[in-house]
Structures are given as structure tokens and as C-alpha cells.
Amino acid sequence: MNTTVKAYFDAFNRGDVAAMLACLSDDVAHYVNEGKVRPGKDMFRDFCEHMNRCYREELTDMVIFDAEGGTRAAAEYIVNGVYLETDEGLPEAKGQSYRLPAGSFFTLRDGLITRVVTYYNLADWTAQVS
């Protein structure tokens, strides 16, 4: 199992953005589900702060896959969340709970994450909170 990716997800579940950032290269490329690529740690930090304001999430049933050589990894998991504050362009937040499968893909260099891609079914999430 890739220790950097595990540390990244452990930090996510603790809500520890600084520890997540420590797993990333300065030139990280963050591919957001249904969104634009966000380059660099500053944009990643801004994204995390926004997400933590609008959502409380815990990832469970985590399986991490490692590619040979340690330069690529992937994970699948279940997102268990609560919708806390209305996110622009999405349904109104009223403390709704949701649970949905998701996956992430990573590229690594020198033990740091250089690319994060996350996918989940937005239509499934929208149906659960509407």
C-alpha cells in the first residue's frame, strides 16, 4: 500500500488540511470532479477550506491500489457525508446525509503526490440531498 496516499486519506478523515498538503508536491494538479484543474497547493488549500465549510465527510471501506514502481496509485471508498452549507449551483443544504461510492487516482514523484483525480456520481449525490 502506498504510504503517502494512506497518509493523505488519514489526514482527510481527521479534517487535517495541513497534513494533506504535506503529502502534495508544490506543483500538484488537482482534478476536481465536474470541475476545472486546480494547480498548486494554494488552490488545493482553498478547495479544502470550501469543502470543509459545506460538507463533513468521512471515507470508509477504503481500498488503495499501488502500481508497480510507486509512481501511480488509486483508491476506491465510500463517502459518508453531511451537507452543511449550500454550495453554489447545488441544492439547498439542510443537514442532509449522503453515502456514495467514489474513487481517486494519483501520480507520485519522490514520495509526494503530483496529481489527484477524484470521481463520484454527482447525479447520485444530488438525488440523495434533494
Side-chain angles (χ1 to χ4, degrees):
M1 175 189 318
N2 189 294
T3 56
T4 302
V5 171
K6 182 173 182 338
Y8 171 88
F9 283 121
D10 288 346
F12 178 95
N13 277 341
R14 290 191 312 272
D16 187 345
V17 174
M20 290 174 71
L21 290 168
C23 296
L24 306 178
S25 66
D26 289 336
D27 63 345
V28 66
H30 182 207
Y31 292 74
V32 180
N33 192 73
E34 305 286 333
K36 295 179 180 178
V37 178
R38 297 169 182 262
K41 281 187 173 183
D42 289 341
M43 290 193 81
F44 188 91
R45 179 185 304 104
D46 293 347
F47 176 82
C48 289
E49 289 171 357
H50 168 81
M51 292 296 289
N52 288 341
R53 186 173 55 255
C54 294
Y55 311 91
R56 183 174 60 244
E57 296 180 330
E58 179 183 13
L59 309 180
T60 60
D61 305 297
M62 176 79 55
V63 179
I64 297 174
F65 304 91
D66 235 345
E68 193 172 320
T71 60
R72 302 285 287 273
E76 65 176 337
Y77 45 88
I78 301 295
V79 180
N80 304 276
V82 178
Y83 190 24
L84 303 172
E85 181 180 305
T86 302
D87 202 345
E88 184 180 344
L90 297 174
E92 183 180 351
K94 301 175 189 171
Q96 306 93 310
S97 294
Y98 53 92
R99 181 175 163 84
L100 68 155
S104 296
F105 302 91
F106 302 90
T107 302
L108 297 102
R109 181 183 67 238
D110 300 325
L112 294 174
I113 297 167
T114 62
R115 179 183 62 104
V116 180
V117 181
T118 302
Y119 291 109
Y120 57 88
N121 186 323
L122 183 60
D124 182 7
W125 178 85
T126 301
Q128 290 185 50
V129 300
S130 293

